[in-house]
Amino acid sequence: MPNIALELGKQSASFGVKSAYGEQQDIDGIRIVPVAITWSGFGGGSDEVGNGGGGGGGYAIPLGAYIRRGGDLRFEPNIVVFLTVAIPFVWVAGRALSRVIRVLKK
């Protein structure tokens, strides 16, 4: 039986940049390269008897795309993702700031 941890390690070695930057697409002379934040995790183990198991999973959040039109290169963000991340962040930051101010007033 192959070592599950070693097999998962070999497969995850190629995730890196290939998973964060998608394949380049050329559409009507415009070059597009999608960008995402990705992460993954794997685990495995066995007991004294030799029964083993493992599992894993991953997640990707599309951030936007690099777009080249002629000589112009720019990054166009995925606004929905930035709002989804920004709203809870602003709420948590506001709560923390209000508590800091309350402590400093005492």
Side-chain angles (χ1 to χ4, degrees):
M1 181 172 178
N3 189 333
I4 294 173
L6 291 176
E7 291 298 320
L8 290 174
K10 288 178 187 175
Q11 291 177 4
S12 67
S14 67
F15 287 165
V17 172
K18 290 181 182 178
S19 63
Y21 296 95
E23 293 292 321
Q24 173 181 309
Q25 303 291 319
D26 292 320
I27 303 170
D28 295 332
I30 300 172
R31 215 170 256 180
I32 301 171
V33 178
V35 180
I37 291 178
T38 62
W39 65 89
S40 59
F42 300 97
S46 63
D47 59 13
E48 297 82 27
V49 181
N51 297 324
Y59 199 72
I61 298 175
L63 293 179
Y66 284 107
I67 298 178
R68 178 183 296 273
R69 290 186 179 102
D72 181 36
L73 176 66
R74 65 183 182 171
F75 179 77
E76 291 190 10
N78 182 344
I79 300 299
V80 173
V81 170
F82 284 112
L83 287 175
T84 304
V85 171
I87 290 171
F89 176 76
V90 169
W91 183 82
V92 168
R95 295 269 303 183
L97 185 60
S98 70
R99 289 182 182 198
V100 167
I101 291 171
R102 189 177 318 139
V103 168
L104 290 175
K105 281 185 175 181
K106 290 183 179 181

